């Protein structure tokens, strides 16, 4: 089993999940509460990765971070090496690719919170930040957890974008799904099966734990 | 003593402009109107949850909003207590945590003392550790009031907070609110669409219709003797009838009127108008007595014969349409309807006291 690839994938998914929470909460907040007319345009941009083929997204990210692009040149200036085919490049691409999986459940949870609770908080003297931390976030916890888990799981399993942006460098950009692909290409079905099964069991376990902790779909709501 | 003064112009929709000028003195003032009259918009403007297009809102000397100078104090700093129609208690916090919520600037001990004091005023001490979903309707109202008042607001705004409660619980809560306010004397604006609540709770009433103040004053003056037809309908005068003054009896302070397009005559209290001029007469459907035989030997001056044209039951009221040449709406209890054997087509006599009739414009 390719433990190096598994470790790399877990590291990538954890990092992307953490960054997406930091980015996703304000984006979801803005999408939910902004009254600007062009909010829907931002919403569409955020949702693009849901419908775009990963290769298309990967291609544009590669163009955007390549050695000839301003972003790529700036990164090279700061760090001394390019962004394409590196772990950092992979993180950036994965953030874009998994953005809707973090933002949409959080925004959905925010919009379910009764606005009068937020107004009551303001009228009791609380700043927007305190209203967010004390009322909005606790009441949206299930959506936030769902967003975190989905973006983690989605990053763990991504393939097309990784291949386009990161290539297949062991220990740097060779994630678990690419390892599986490699093993199948080399007719090593036993190894592919072991890795795939591990990923399957792990994904199922994480989702079960989270949904088990946060959801009560069959319980009757007390009035 | 602080008075809340508000001049508010706010466009609610293309054809609805809220345009009011209010003064709310210390004590309870009722803001009364049908749904869609703009009551909640007034409260939201006062609380800073909505910015009026123009106007000025002050509490005593403190300016909360002034369109001309650009002052618009945010809701966080208005120091206005607000109890929402749905109460908006934080569902994930206990009653005590809800009460502490507005006291975050204070230290733990002061907060404890303040919440214990307010819990005693509103009789919710045993409930402090419960969550809102473990409370009864009345307990939730008390918790919501306590949460707003513990911050010592300069004004309290109540958006139909008690409409879901029975009368007895309502008046007990209001009694506690009055006691709490006795020492403080802040203006309390209480929004309602029930004229029963206006009489039960308010010392003063402001009537709102289609975004403008129709009348204000003591409930018994404003609602019992409505001067406008719209106000009469709003306050439960289901019958508003066109009539012409026939003659005036100055000695009895009454006048004889004939209802338009009919021969029906009514004696009503003397009001402005000379013989020959038109008037409108408002009568509550519940003030009309109904007899199944011609009544004799009674003091009421108006006895009108008619037939029941329609009959339907709504809750604890039987609503009758009685055709006398002009249609009258009459309300009786289901018991009265049964024992009299009321049915469509049955001849009946309406008995209306002179002073049950109001002339309106």
């Amino acid at each position: 089993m390719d433990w190096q690839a598994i470790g790399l994938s877990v590291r990538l998914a954890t990092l992307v999940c953490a960054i997406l929470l930091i980015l996703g909460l304000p984006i979801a907040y803005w999408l939910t509460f902004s009254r600007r007319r062009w909010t829907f345009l931002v919403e569409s941009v955020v949702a693009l990765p849901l419908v775009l083929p990963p290769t298309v997204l990967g291609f544009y990210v590669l163009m955007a971070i390549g050695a000839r692009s301003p972003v790529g040149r700036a990164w090279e200036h700061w760090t001394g090496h390019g962004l394409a085919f590196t772990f950092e490049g992979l993180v950036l691409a994965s953030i874009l690719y998994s953005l809707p999986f973090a933002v949409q459940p959080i925004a959905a949870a925010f919009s379910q919170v009764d606005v009068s609770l937020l107004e009551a908080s303001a009228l009791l003297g609380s700043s927007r930040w305190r209203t967010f931390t004390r009322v909005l976030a606790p009441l949206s916890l299930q959506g936030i957890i769902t967003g975190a888990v989905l973006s983690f799981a989605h990053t763990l399993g991504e393939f097309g974008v990784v291949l386009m942006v990161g290539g297949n460098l062991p220990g740097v950009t060779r994630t678990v799904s690419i390892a599986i692909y490699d093993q199948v290409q080399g007719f090593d079905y036993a190894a592919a099966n072991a890795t795939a099964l591990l990923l399957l069991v792990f994904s199922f376990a994480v989702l079960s734990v989270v949904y088990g902790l946060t959801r009560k779909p069959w319980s009757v709501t007390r009035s | 003593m602080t008075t809340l003064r508000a001049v508010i112009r706010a466009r609610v929709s293309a054809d609805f402009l809220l345009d009011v000028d209010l003064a709310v003195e210390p004590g309870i003032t009722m803001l009364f109107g049908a749904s869609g009259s703009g009551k909640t918009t007034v409260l939201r403007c006062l609380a800073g949850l909505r910015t009026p297009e123009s106007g000025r809102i002050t509490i005593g000397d403190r300016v909360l909003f002034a369109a001309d100078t650009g002052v618009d104090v945010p809701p966080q700093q208005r120091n206005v207590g607000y109890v929402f129609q749905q109460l908006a208690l934080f569902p994930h916090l206990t009653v005590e945590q809800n009460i502490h919520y507005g006291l975050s600037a204070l230290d733990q001990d002061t907060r404890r003392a303040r919440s214990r004091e307010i819990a005693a005023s509103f009789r919710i001490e045993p409930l402090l550790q419960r969550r809102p979903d473990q409370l009864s309707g009345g307990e939730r109202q008390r918790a919501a009031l306590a949460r707003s008042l513990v911050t010592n607001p300069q004004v309290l705004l109540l958006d139909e907070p008690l409409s879901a409660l029975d009368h007895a619980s309502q008046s007990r809560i209001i009694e506690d609110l009055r006691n709490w306010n006795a020492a403080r004397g802040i203006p309390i604006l209480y929004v309602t669409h029930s004229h029963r609540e206006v009489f039960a709770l308010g010392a003063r009433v402001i009537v709102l219709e289609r975004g403008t103040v129709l009348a204000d004053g003591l409930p018994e003056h404003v609602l019992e003797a409505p001067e406008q037809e719209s106000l009469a309908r709003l306050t439960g005068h289901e019958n508003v009838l066109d009539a012409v003054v026939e003659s005036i009896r100055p000695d009895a302070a009454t006048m004889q009127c004939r209802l338009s397009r009919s021969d029906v005559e009514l004696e009503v209290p003397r009001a402005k108008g000379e013989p020959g001029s038109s008037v409108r007469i408002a009568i509550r459907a519940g003030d009309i007595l109904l007899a199944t035989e011609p009544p004799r030997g009674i003091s009421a001056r108006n006895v009108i014969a008619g037939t029941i044209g329609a009959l339907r039951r709504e809750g604890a009221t039987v609503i009758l349409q009685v055709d006398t040449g002009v249609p009258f709406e009459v309300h009786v209890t289901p018991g009265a309807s049964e024992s009299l054997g009321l049915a469509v087509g049955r001849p009946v006599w309406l008995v209306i006291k002179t002073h049950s009739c109001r002339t309106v414009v």
Side-chain angles (χ1 to χ4, degrees):
Chain A
M1 203 169 318
D2 192 344
W3 288 106
Q4 196 185 35
I6 292 169
L8 183 92
S9 275
V10 169
R11 197 152 57 90
L12 177 70
T14 309
L15 196 62
V16 167
C17 171
I19 295 173
L20 273 180
L21 269 186
I22 297 168
L23 288 179
L25 285 168
I27 294 175
Y29 185 92
W30 187 84
L31 284 178
T32 311
F33 298 106
S34 168
R35 293 208 197 105
R36 293 186 199 280
R37 242 179 259 164
W38 42 272
T39 312
F40 71 96
L41 288 178
V42 178
E43 224 170 334
S44 307
V45 170
V46 169
L48 259 185
L50 289 176
V51 293
L52 222 50
T55 45
V56 173
L57 184 74
F59 173 71
Y60 282 119
V61 172
L62 192 61
M63 292 293 101
I65 66 176
R68 268 173 293 176
S69 80
V71 178
R73 275 207 303 272
W75 184 266
E76 194 157 353
H77 181 74
W78 287 330
T79 62
H81 61 84
L83 199 48
F85 306 109
T86 62
F87 183 72
E88 290 86 350
L90 212 55
V91 170
L92 180 72
S94 302
I95 288 170
L96 291 174
Y97 187 45
S98 294
L99 191 60
F101 292 85
V103 170
Q104 288 190 342
I106 298 174
F110 283 174
S111 64
Q112 290 295 308
V113 175
D114 187 350
V115 178
S116 65
L117 294 176
L118 310 178
E119 292 176 343
S121 171
L123 287 163
L124 290 166
S126 288
S127 63
R128 277 190 198 192
W129 174 247
R130 186 164 186 264
T131 299
F132 176 80
T133 56
R134 293 286 311 273
V135 180
L136 188 61
L139 291 175
S140 309
L141 198 58
Q142 191 179 311
I144 294 171
I145 292 175
T146 305
V149 169
L150 285 183
S151 51
F152 182 89
H154 190 241
T155 306
L156 200 64
E158 75 182 70
F159 179 74
V161 176
V162 176
L163 205 58
M164 295 295 285
V165 176
N168 186 4
L169 307 172
V172 182
T173 62
R174 183 189 168 97
T175 62
V176 68
S177 55
I178 289 181
I180 294 171
Y181 179 72
D182 257 9
Q183 286 156 351
V184 171
Q185 292 290 296
F187 298 105
D188 189 358
Y189 285 177
N193 186 26
T195 319
L197 192 65
L198 183 80
L199 209 56
L200 179 72
V201 170
F202 177 77
S203 301
F204 179 74
V206 169
L207 289 177
S208 304
V209 166
V210 168
Y211 287 136
L213 283 178
T214 58
R215 259 199 199 168
K216 303 184 198 103
W218 297 289
S219 72
V220 177
T221 323
R222 277 171 300 161
S223 62
Chain B
M1 292 295 229
T2 50
T3 298
L4 169 68
R5 287 204 54 98
V7 180
I8 298 170
R9 284 170 70 89
R11 184 156 292 286
V12 179
S13 65
D15 59 345
F16 185 8
L17 179 73
L18 181 76
D19 187 356
V20 295
D21 183 346
L22 311 171
V24 185
E25 312 279 337
I28 300 179
T29 298
M30 310 300 284
L31 185 60
F32 172 74
S35 58
S37 58
K39 307 183 298 276
T40 299
T41 308
V42 170
L43 288 201
R44 293 181 68 80
C45 289
L46 294 175
L49 296 174
R50 186 195 163 105
T51 308
E53 269 79 47
S54 66
R56 185 178 172 83
I57 300 170
T58 55
I59 304 176
D61 307 330
R62 193 163 157 247
V63 179
L64 295 184
F65 175 80
D68 50 353
T69 55
V71 176
D72 187 7
V73 177
Q76 285 89 346
Q77 289 153 28
R78 288 210 175 187
N79 198 13
V80 162
Y82 196 120
V83 177
F84 290 81
Q85 190 166 13
Q86 302 304 328
L87 304 178
L89 287 166
F90 302 124
H92 58 302
L93 302 180
T94 63
V95 171
E96 186 171 40
Q97 288 168 329
N98 265 282
I99 293 174
H100 282 176
Y101 193 88
L103 302 175
S104 58
L106 304 176
D107 64 78
Q108 185 82 11
D109 291 340
T110 322
R111 233 185 299 171
R112 281 260 162 75
R114 288 271 286 275
S115 73
R116 233 174 272 139
E117 187 191 343
I118 198 83
S121 300
F122 287 91
R123 305 164 208 268
I124 51 171
E125 294 129 307
L127 312 174
L128 284 175
Q129 299 314 318
R130 293 209 203 152
R131 297 269 193 95
D133 65 350
Q134 298 166 319
L135 303 178
S136 74
E139 289 166 348
R140 270 202 285 271
Q141 319 277 349
R142 290 173 175 277
L145 274 172
R147 182 181 69 175
S148 292
L149 293 176
V150 76
T151 61
N152 282 332
Q154 280 185 292
V155 176
L156 179 64
L157 307 174
L158 304 168
D159 192 358
E160 309 205 24
L162 307 178
S163 50
L165 296 184
D166 61 87
H167 303 172
S169 324
Q170 267 187 12
S171 36
R172 277 198 299 273
I173 292 177
I174 289 297
E175 203 46 48
D176 289 338
L177 179 59
R178 281 220 180 89
N179 289 337
W180 178 88
N181 202 30
R184 292 167 181 83
I186 65 168
I188 299 174
L189 193 58
Y190 186 117
V191 160
T192 182
H193 67 267
S194 139
H195 65 276
R196 198 200 56 75
E197 272 183 31
V198 172
F199 284 104
L201 314 176
R204 196 166 155 257
V205 60
I206 299 171
V207 182
L208 205 61
E209 196 190 61
R210 287 298 293 168
T212 55
V213 174
L214 207 56
D216 70 310
L218 298 172
E220 52 269 37
H221 292 164
V222 172
L223 300 189
E224 280 298 273
E227 286 174 353
Q228 290 98 338
E229 180 193 341
S230 50
L231 189 54
R233 289 201 191 275
L234 209 57
T235 53
H237 291 74
E238 290 82 357
N239 298 290
V240 179
L241 310 159
D242 286 313
V244 176
V245 179
E246 297 268 277
S247 60
I248 293 173
R249 282 188 60 190
D251 56 319
T254 61
M255 54 192 195
Q256 200 69 22
C257 301
R258 187 170 50 77
L259 299 185
S260 300
R261 291 177 298 280
S262 78
D263 298 327
V264 178
E265 295 220 346
L266 274 180
E267 186 185 275
V268 305
R270 168 115 198 239
K272 272 179 269 177
E274 296 306 313
S277 63
S278 342
V279 290
R280 313 199 84 184
I281 299 167
I283 307 165
R284 283 210 170 107
D287 285 350
I288 301 176
L289 294 180
L290 199 107
T292 48
E293 286 167 29
R296 290 183 323 191
I298 56 169
S299 64
R301 304 283 291 163
N302 301 304
V303 176
I304 306 162
T307 354
I308 297 177
L311 181 152
R312 72 193 149 88
R313 183 164 172 177
E314 244 176 51
T317 307
V318 174
I319 299 173
L320 305 162
Q321 296 296 335
V322 177
D323 191 22
T324 64
V326 281
F328 273 86
E329 183 171 327
V330 182
H331 294 178
V332 297
T333 60
S337 174
E338 270 167 41
S339 67
L340 290 174
L342 299 182
V344 173
R346 173 129 200 208
V348 287
W349 284 262
L350 305 182
V351 182
I352 307 168
K353 290 171 66 174
T354 303
H355 285 279
S356 293
C357 304
R358 317 257 169 223
T359 43
V360 294
V361 290

